[in-house]
Amino acid sequence: PPPPHAAAAAAAPPRRVVICGGGVVGACTAYFLSTHAASPTVPTLVERCAPACAASGKAGGFLALDWCDSTPGFSALARASYALHRRLAADLGGADAYGYRPVHTLSVRVPSVPKPASPHPMPPAWVDPSASAAPPRELGTPDTTAHVHPGLFTRAVLAASGAKVVIGEVERVVVRDGRAAGVAVKGRDGVVDADAVVLALGPWSGRLEVVSEVFDVSGVKAHSIVLRPREPENITPHCLFLSYQPEPGAKMLDPEVYPRPTGEVYICGMTKDENPPDDPATITGAEVVAEQACYLPCTTDGMAVIGEMPGVKGCYVATGHSCWGILGRAMNPDTLDLSLVTEAGPTGQRYKNGIPTGAALAELILDGKAKIVDLAPFSPARFLKRSRRGA
């Protein structure tokens, strides 16, 4: 048998961790690596443009505690995420740093044809009463729903991690003897050496061979605008899930309205399947405060992929979170049954969560096992039977 010191060395957690991707998953992984109780590890993070430059900076930032309780796996992830958001808000001064606040959440059906105002008691004063075709429904209270500015949140968490940020395009994972040994960065001599590599590149994760050999990640383009009302002080913390039909027989549309404590109001629009461009900085929408778009990473089975890549020790992946990277996005409130929620919105995306993904990856890398949430449902090994590497 090997001497005791050799066994101890083999069991030691990796000290050089490279995270590819500066979105919410990469930032949270960096944070929980650096704050790990037994083996704090400050990683290097490689990002092509800037932290939170893609979906993590342009998402809605809506958080929900219990909207996924009927879905095994996702329920634990969503509840862990909601609790961690509260904890991080306390630790990092989230109310001031990135707009964390509990909110009321309402479902509002918009009439196709304007009608006289009717006295519904629930909408806040800044909502036109004639905009509601029926009494609004309460979807969440400040105990069960909350909101953050996702870009500010991602950058605050990354800054708190102390991670070294390298701006550059990851070309490939360097694998030696079946183990990740670092990453090659375009235009940079040599290799960024690593004992463990985390791939958190959203829909761009699939551009790396180590991922594409096992599973596919596609992009769904999501549009949004940010408005600044003339009297922002009158906008109360109410998140609105709207539904309306532009004309008889037309598809129901489901925009969502998220006021921010900065006085801005974020409104998300529709999505469409579309391959993301090579450079996230080139993604444009249509200017208010901001007209913007981003690409949501989606997998073929609708589930996030979180865990160690099969056949490559020390290479970890975290992608496929779709519209649930920060914690949540909305769903059509008129088809929403909070006792039986399995999918979200017209694209049928399930709940995905960035904070517990980062915490679980940190545990997996440093402890060898994730304890905060069961990662088995999200394992990339589930794709092996139909992948080239599996064959």
Side-chain angles (χ1 to χ4, degrees):
H5 69 274
R15 304 310 301 171
R16 298 175 302 173
V17 180
V18 174
I19 300 170
C20 304
V24 65
V25 173
C28 287
T29 302
Y31 178 82
F32 287 106
L33 284 169
S34 70
T35 58
H36 188 274
S39 305
T41 301
V42 178
T44 296
L45 185 143
V46 183
E47 165 57 48
R48 175 164 182 164
C49 297
C53 68
S56 294
K58 299 173 182 176
F62 178 75
L63 317 174
L65 169 67
D66 53 2
W67 287 18
C68 201
D69 278 359
S70 64
T71 308
F74 288 107
S75 174
L77 203 61
R79 284 183 170 267
S81 183
Y82 199 82
L84 284 170
H85 266 290
R86 280 184 170 176
R87 193 184 97 189
L88 288 186
D91 293 346
L92 302 179
D96 294 325
Y98 50 81
Y100 174 88
R101 62 177 177 178
V103 295
H104 295 274
T105 304
L106 305 177
S107 165
V108 178
R109 177 182 281 275
V110 180
S112 300
V113 179
K115 63 171 194 169
S118 56
H120 300 317
M122 202 174 292
W126 52 272
V127 176
D128 183 351
S130 67
S132 181
R137 290 194 295 132
E138 185 178 69
L139 301 180
T141 70
D143 290 329
T144 61
T145 53
H147 185 256
V148 297
H149 185 301
L152 296 179
F153 169 77
T154 301
R155 289 187 284 270
V157 171
L158 181 58
S161 76
K164 176 185 177 182
V165 177
V166 174
I167 301 299
E169 180 183 354
V170 176
E171 290 188 307
R172 61 186 174 90
V173 177
V174 177
V175 180
R176 301 190 185 109
D177 299 323
R179 170 172 284 279
V183 298
V185 179
K186 189 173 183 179
R188 184 185 178 103
D189 294 334
V191 172
V192 182
D193 295 323
D195 303 310
V197 173
V198 176
L199 305 178
L201 294 164
W204 291 274
S205 300
R207 307 263 174 116
L208 299 179
E209 185 178 5
V210 69
V211 171
S212 64
E213 285 182 337
V214 178
F215 64 92
D216 295 324
V217 186
S218 59
V220 172
K221 191 174 186 180
H223 296 266
S224 57
I225 61 174
V226 180
L227 307 176
R228 186 176 297 281
R230 286 188 292 270
E231 298 177 341
E233 66 279 2
N234 293 331
I235 308 298
T236 55
H238 287 74
C239 289
L240 306 181
F241 290 72
L242 310 180
S243 63
Y244 76 97
Q245 193 174 33
E247 58 186 28
K251 177 184 176 181
M252 292 294 294
L253 301 179
D254 309 298
E256 299 147 22
V257 181
Y258 304 139
R260 294 171 172 172
T262 55
E264 299 171 345
V265 177
Y266 174 100
I267 303 175
C268 75
M270 301 301 103
T271 61
K272 67 174 180 177
D273 294 334
E274 186 175 289
N275 291 326
D278 290 336
D279 187 350
T282 64
I283 300 171
T284 58
E287 176 185 60
V288 186
V289 168
E291 288 191 12
Q292 56 196 19
C294 61
Y295 285 83
L296 310 176
C298 302
T299 60
T300 52
D301 64 2
M303 291 275 283
V305 187
I306 310 167
E308 190 170 36
M309 289 299 297
V312 185
K313 299 295 292 181
C315 183
Y316 304 84
V317 65
T319 187
H321 290 68
S322 182
C323 53
W324 293 100
I326 301 294
L327 168 76
R329 177 188 176 276
M331 53 186 64
N332 183 347
D334 292 295
T335 60
L336 175 63
D337 179 353
L338 292 182
S339 67
L340 191 64
V341 174
T342 58
E343 296 184 327
T347 55
Q349 305 302 332
R350 294 181 175 90
Y351 285 69
K352 318 298 193 292
N353 306 264
I355 288 188
T357 296
L361 277 178
E363 292 176 338
L364 187 61
I365 293 168
L366 299 179
D367 300 333
K369 181 178 176 60
K371 298 183 286 290
I372 192 168
V373 69
D374 180 13
L375 292 182
F378 311 103
S379 171
R382 70 184 189 266
F383 297 100
L384 275 180
K385 60 185 178 182
R386 55 184 182 272
S387 71
R388 292 194 295 271
R389 191 177 299 166

